Amino acid sequence: MRMKGMGRSWTALPELEVATIWLVVVMLLAVSNTGSAHTNGFSSTSQEGDVRIGVLGLFHPQQFEVKPVSGQALILRAEDKQVLLGTSSGAGSANIRITNADIRIVIGTRNVQADSVIVAGRNGEPADFILSIPGRISRRYRGTLEIKASEGGLLAILNLDRETAVASIVAAESDPDTPIEALKAQAIATRSYLTAGRRRHRGFDFCDTTHCQYLREPPPSGGAVASAVAATRGLILAYDFQPFAAMYSRSCSGQTRTPAQVGLSSSRYPYYSVECPHCRYNPQRWTSRIPIEEASSLHRSDERSRLEIVRRLGWGAVPSSEFVARKDGDEIRLSGAGNGHGIGLCQSGAKAMAKSGASFQDILKHYYPNTAVENFRVN
């Protein structure tokens, strides 16, 4: 055999010269890996280790209440003013509301007006806090918070560590009885999405609805979700040596779909339609009724038209784009199977695979063919 570009046979080289060449090759590879953007494929700057998520925007809030978790303290910064929130300060919470185009902050007897508000720990570090829309919803988060005016309402942007985001999303996306290997697969898919799918909104990366990723409270430490996230820390899915925004859904109808099959634009990863035995033999069936005028814009296997309707009528109106429509009086009766777009990992199928002994690697290989699990390092 001859080595390309060399004037004599590789096998004819003296042993010392061969050893010298191999040493040079190893050194060059070491230098290349040190300066490369890859560790098993990938690297990132520290800023990319955090994600910005718009929270509670579905409620179009006009007012927020912020308070620290019991026993902790927060620093609220508005313009050039700082206020300590905590039991030691006598100010246990801040009420933030939109007045015309300004933000008004009420803390006890104090009244502050500002363009934006920043909430963090004493030294600007991430902190645990409770964000509420009074009378509607209350959630606990960990990170830093920015609140500003937006289109006549308030916009709350949570900045949090990616692993905290992964754990919070996996907890929201998974059933309590989900096996650990399925949780690991979900964690890797979620981390991949957060890594490669940024900037889906102006001013922040993701929202906390099904448009992007469900986000709820961080799970308790020591639980199954926290363990699954810790066990897969830094692992993402890669295609052609690059991370991609992995898609997933609650339940397919026995065969996963490609974006083209549901009318969505293609992505860098060429999703494949793969068989899902669990959903084939245990389909998640549903029925619903929608007004005739709404049905005129709804088309089978068209995810965009489905999303337009469910954002108006609620997510239970059309759970998937696999359905049969029949007129029933002044309504349209829909009968379908599945839950979600059916692209990528099927959470129901992943649970069944894990219960049958499949590893997270087996699950990911099945639902994302021709991909690899790689370690994404944050410098």
Side-chain angles (χ1 to χ4, degrees), residues 187-215:
I188 293 171
T190 298
R191 190 179 293 109
S192 303
Y193 191 94
L194 294 179
T195 299
R198 289 172 177 270
R199 299 178 182 88
R200 287 174 58 84
H201 293 267
R202 179 182 295 179
F204 55 99
D205 297 315
F206 308 99
C207 66
D208 62 348
T209 73
T210 53
H211 175 264
C212 293
Q213 302 274 283
Y214 272 133
L215 181 81

Side-chain angles (χ1 to χ4, degrees), residues 5 43 45 50 142 148 154 230 303:
S43 180
T45 63
D50 291 343
R142 177 168 180 78
K148 56 186 179 179
L154 292 173
E303 185 67 7

